[in-house]
């Protein structure tokens, strides 16, 4: 199942957050570049003391403890209202 999801995220070019069990750390907002057998290649950016670095790291599939991805996000700038759809179907409207 994990193998299939990683292929899907790779094809969609969606950023993923990966937890590495053996190193007890998260890789944040990585792209799945390649899957070759049980080796997964991830590409991500990191900042360190005012320097930005780009990394490409290969990890074994069995060392991945969790993978998550962002479904959506909403900008919460002060004073901005969330966009509303007037044409939303009645069955999907929230009563308030």
């Amino acid at each position: 199942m994990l193998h299939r999801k990683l292929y899907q995220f790779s094809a969609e070019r969606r950023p993923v957050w990966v937890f590495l069990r053996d190193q007890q750390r998260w890789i944040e907002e990585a792209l799945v570049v390649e899957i070759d057998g049980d080796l997964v290649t991830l590409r991500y950016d990191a900042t360190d003391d005012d320097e930005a670095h780009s990394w490409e790291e290969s990890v074994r599939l069995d060392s991945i403890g969790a993978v998550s991805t962002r479904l959506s996000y909403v900008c919460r700038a002060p004073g901005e209202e969330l966009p509303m759809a007037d044409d939303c179907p009645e069955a999907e409207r929230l009563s308030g």
Side-chain angles (χ1 to χ4, degrees), residues 1-20:
M1 178 63 104
L2 179 61
H3 209 262
R4 216 172 348 169
K5 279 309 230 182
L6 287 171
Y7 270 116
Q8 178 186 350
F9 295 147
S10 174
E12 294 173 357
R13 306 291 296 163
R14 289 174 74 178
V16 293
W17 284 251
V18 178
F19 181 72
L20 301 177

Side-chain angles (χ1 to χ4, degrees), residues 12-84:
E12 294 173 357
R13 306 291 296 163
R14 289 174 74 178
V16 293
W17 284 251
V18 178
F19 181 72
L20 301 177
R21 280 190 301 225
D22 55 346
Q23 298 177 29
Q24 293 293 300
R25 69 180 175 107
W26 282 93
I27 296 176
E28 299 178 346
E29 294 189 67
L31 290 177
V32 180
V33 177
E34 182 180 13
I35 302 172
D36 186 19
D38 72 334
L39 220 68
V40 179
T41 304
L42 303 168
R43 184 175 295 149
Y44 61 97
D45 296 323
T47 56
D48 179 21
D49 296 332
D50 299 330
E51 292 182 357
H53 303 278
S54 291
W55 297 92
E56 190 166 287
E57 189 170 338
S58 295
V59 297
R60 296 214 174 270
L61 193 61
D62 61 352
S63 70
I64 296 175
V67 176
S68 61
T69 188
R70 179 182 296 160
L71 297 177
S72 65
Y73 65 94
V74 175
C75 181
R76 293 192 175 201
E80 266 190 50
E81 291 292 321
L82 294 176
M84 298 293 187

